[in-house]
């Protein structure tokens, strides 16, 4: 946890009534930012943006401000609740900016979306609901001027570039870990020909470039605690032009896995067909009409590719000494990589039968 006195000092710079020393507690299970629930009245969420991941953190928050302002207009036009269906950034008291800079760090404050929670696991019904929320999110962003967004992490979902980053990590091997993970390295390298499929489709125009979320894992969706409805897709740091195939694949990489992302008993790690079917149903109901033939055809493959990409990223981070994703114990990233590769191995022979779900 960050120094609470620093967090308090940051908090006092936002335009919020902080009352009498509200408790500040770590919140959520994200792998990137420092996230704290602040028990102001009403409650807020304070985040320290991860500078190792986002070299220009203020640009990240500016993107989020643009996206949420646009979404709020669309939500209001649809008769929805703009304060509930997307994030609300609280400006800094003196500057009016959506962030506070202190000692080289960048912080933002959002309103806690009340009576809502993210989930680490989901049944088919919840996944179908999440898919509809995702579809709505993409449709609402259809007219958003993509050139207004900074590319905060260049080539974020470029699986070929991710494989190149793995090769570079192996070559530099700063912690001497590469030789102990040769099986995992071989697993990734032997799938090199898969890595370019979506990026090549984007480059040729066969796959449309859209404004996408780029981090649609289940715990970035919020569900209403009472009704179970899925109400919002949050964690908007990576909203950038991309392919919806990566979003579809990422949602299922996590939401259709039989076990958590870091489960080490790989005998119980596989994709649940009923979860894939439910998310796909919600997704096609919501967006099916706007998919191209090629996008539809690549839906099952994108689950595999996104899972492979994530495994490659975890493996790369393990080799580099755990410098990107937050870890809870030594070897955590390697456990995650093995888990993702087990999922890839599970889905590969099943791709033809999964295609039936997308027809
Ligand atoms: P990270 O980039 O580290 O994943 P997130 O922005 O996803 O950070 O926040 C981490 C978690 O905190 C989310 O998964 C969600 O559970 C919770 N969270 C973040 N912001 C809010 C909010 N405004 N309202 C409710 N929950 C939130
Ligand atoms: C990170 O921020 P979070 O925890 O929602 C990562 C995603 C990975 C995911 C793997 C900005 O997501 O790309 O798929 O971990 N976010 C960033 O769990 O790198
Ligand atoms: Mg998150």
């Amino acid at each position: 946890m960050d120094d609470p006195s620093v967090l308090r000092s940051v908090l006092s710079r936002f335009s919020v009534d902080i009352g009498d020393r509200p408790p500040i507690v770590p919140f959520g299970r994200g792998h990137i930012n420092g996230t704290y629930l602040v028990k102001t009245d009403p409650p807020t969420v304070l985040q320290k943006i991860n500078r190792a991941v986002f070299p220009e953190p203020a640009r990240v928050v500016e993107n989020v401000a643009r996206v949420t302002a646009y979404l709020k207009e669309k939500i209001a036009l649809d008769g929805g609740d703009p304060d509930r269906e997307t994030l609300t950034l609280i400006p800094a008291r003196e500057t009016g900016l959506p962030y506070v800079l202190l000692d080289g760090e960048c912080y933002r404050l959002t309103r806690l979306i009340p009576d809502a929670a993210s989930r680490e696991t989901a049944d088919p019904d919840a996944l179908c609901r999440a898919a509809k929320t995702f579809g709505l999110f993409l449709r609402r962003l259809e007219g958003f001027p993509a050139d207004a967004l900074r590319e905060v992490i260049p080539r974020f979902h470029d699986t070929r570039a991710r494989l190149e980053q793995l090769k570079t990590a192996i070559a530099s091997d700063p912690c001497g870990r590469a030789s102990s993970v040769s099986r995992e390295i071989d697993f990734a390298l032997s799938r090199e020909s898969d890595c370019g499929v979506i990026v090549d489709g984007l480059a040729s125009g066969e796959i449309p470039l859209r404004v996408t979320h780029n981090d649609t894992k289940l715990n970035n969706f919020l569900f209403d605690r009472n009704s179970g409805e899925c109400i919002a897709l949050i964690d908007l740091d990576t909203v950038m032009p991309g392919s919806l195939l990566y979003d579809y694949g990422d949602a299922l990489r996590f939401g259709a896995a039989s076990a958590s992302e870091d489960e080490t008993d790989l005998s119980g790690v596989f994709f649940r067909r009923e979860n894939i079917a439910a998310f796909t149903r919600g997704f096609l109901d919501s967006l099916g009409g706007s998919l191209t033939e090629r996008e539809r055809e690549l839906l099952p493959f994108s689950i595999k590719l996104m899972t492979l990409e994530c495994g490659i990223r975890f493996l790369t981070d393990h080799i580099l000494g755990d410098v990107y994703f937050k870890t809870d114990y030594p070897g955590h990233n390697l456990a995650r990589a093995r888990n993702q590769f087990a999922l890839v191995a599970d889905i590969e022979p099943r791709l033809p039968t999964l295609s039936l779900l997308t027809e």
Side-chain angles (χ1 to χ4, degrees), residues 29 117-130 216-224 228-230 250-263 268 270 272 274-276 278-279 339:
R29 307 215 15 205
S118 59
R119 312 176 49 148
E120 297 297 320
T121 58
D123 53 21
D125 188 46
L127 276 169
C128 183
R129 291 167 188 224
T216 49
K217 76 173 167 183
L218 188 66
N219 65 19
N220 290 327
F221 289 88
L222 293 183
F223 293 83
D224 188 293
E229 286 299 324
C230 184
D250 202 12
L252 287 170
R253 171 188 78 77
F254 196 93
S258 60
S260 64
E261 195 181 61
D262 54 3
E263 173 59 57
F270 58 92
R272 291 192 192 282
E274 63 276 22
N275 285 19
I276 297 179
F279 187 87
N339 174 299

Side-chain angles (χ1 to χ4, degrees), residues 7-8 10-11 14 24 34-38 44-48 107-110:
L7 296 178
R8 283 193 190 288
V10 169
L11 193 59
F14 282 102
I24 302 179
T35 302
Y36 302 94
L37 173 64
V38 189
T44 48
V45 176
L46 180 63
Q47 290 186 298
K48 180 166 110 178
Y107 300 83
R108 71 170 163 229
L109 190 68
T110 54

Side-chain angles (χ1 to χ4, degrees), residues 27 30 32-33 47 87 110-113 118 219-220 222 235:
F27 189 51
I32 302 297
N33 297 311
Q47 290 186 298
L87 295 171
T110 54
R111 294 200 180 290
L112 176 81
I113 299 184
S118 59
N219 65 19
N220 290 327
L222 293 183
D235 198 347

Side-chain angles (χ1 to χ4, degrees), residues 62-298:
E62 282 163 6
N63 275 359
V64 174
R66 290 194 182 102
V67 170
T68 52
Y70 189 87
L71 282 174
K72 280 179 190 298
E73 275 182 26
K74 294 282 172 188
I75 294 167
L77 284 173
D78 289 347
D81 180 348
D83 292 336
R84 195 157 175 73
E85 293 176 42
T86 194
L87 295 171
T88 304
L89 286 161
I90 298 173
R93 211 181 280 283
E94 278 183 14
T95 61
L97 294 170
Y99 52 81
V100 161
L101 300 175
L102 185 70
D103 295 334
E105 300 290 352
C106 178
Y107 300 83
R108 71 170 163 229
L109 190 68
T110 54
R111 294 200 180 290
L112 176 81
I113 299 184
D115 301 318
S118 59
R119 312 176 49 148
E120 297 297 320
T121 58
D123 53 21
D125 188 46
L127 276 169
C128 183
R129 291 167 188 224
K132 289 187 175 167
T133 299
F134 169 64
L136 200 52
F137 177 88
L138 279 199
R139 277 194 278 124
R140 282 174 172 158
L141 283 180
E142 254 161 26
F144 184 83
D147 47 10
L149 291 176
R150 309 287 185 97
E151 195 182 19
V152 288
I153 304 182
R155 308 179 84 182
F156 186 60
H157 286 313
D158 177 337
T159 316
R160 194 187 277 130
R162 293 295 185 183
L163 194 71
E164 288 308 312
Q165 287 165 5
L166 172 63
K167 291 182 190 169
T168 308
I170 298 165
S172 68
D173 196 17
C175 307
R177 293 179 175 175
S179 60
S180 62
V181 290
S182 53
R183 247 177 350 123
E184 289 74 16
I185 290 173
D186 289 347
F187 186 94
L189 296 183
S190 64
R191 285 161 180 77
E192 181 151 19
S193 61
D194 289 328
C195 294
V197 171
I198 295 180
V199 275
D200 288 346
L202 283 168
S204 70
E206 206 180 11
I207 297 174
L209 193 65
R210 307 168 188 265
V211 174
T212 53
H213 182 277
N214 295 303
D215 192 358
T216 49
K217 76 173 167 183
L218 188 66
N219 65 19
N220 290 327
F221 289 88
L222 293 183
F223 293 83
D224 188 293
R225 280 188 206 278
N226 303 313
S227 67
E229 286 299 324
C230 184
I231 50 178
L233 176 52
I234 60 165
D235 198 347
L236 305 173
D237 296 341
T238 50
V239 174
M240 287 181 285
S243 163
L244 61 64
L245 289 167
Y246 279 117
D247 281 354
Y248 169 87
D250 202 12
L252 287 170
R253 171 188 78 77
F254 196 93
S258 60
S260 64
E261 195 181 61
D262 54 3
E263 173 59 57
T264 52
D265 176 4
L266 300 183
S267 64
V269 173
F270 58 92
F271 277 107
R272 291 192 192 282
R273 185 181 173 91
E274 63 276 22
N275 285 19
I276 297 179
F279 187 87
T280 305
R281 201 169 51 248
F283 178 82
L284 291 178
D285 277 359
S286 170
L287 281 173
S290 60
L291 291 188
T292 65
E293 266 309 296
R294 183 70 174 146
E295 282 176 316
R296 189 180 280 262
E297 177 186 311
L298 284 174

Side-chain angles (χ1 to χ4, degrees), residues 278-355:
F279 187 87
T280 305
R281 201 169 51 248
F283 178 82
L284 291 178
D285 277 359
S286 170
L287 281 173
S290 60
L291 291 188
T292 65
E293 266 309 296
R294 183 70 174 146
E295 282 176 316
R296 189 180 280 262
E297 177 186 311
L298 284 174
L299 287 173
F301 171 80
S302 70
I303 308 171
K304 168 184 158 176
L305 187 66
M306 190 64 214
T307 311
L308 177 66
E309 180 184 294
C310 233
I312 291 172
R313 292 175 63 198
F314 289 140
L315 182 59
T316 305
D317 201 29
H318 173 72
I319 295 171
L320 291 179
D322 308 310
V323 291
Y324 187 99
F325 296 103
K326 284 190 209 163
T327 51
D328 295 335
Y329 58 87
H332 200 170
N333 274 315
L334 178 58
R336 290 170 175 151
R338 287 183 172 146
N339 174 299
Q340 299 296 289
F341 291 162
L343 286 171
V344 171
D346 169 66
I347 204 171
E348 277 175 341
R350 298 169 60 194
L351 290 177
T353 72
L354 290 173
S355 294

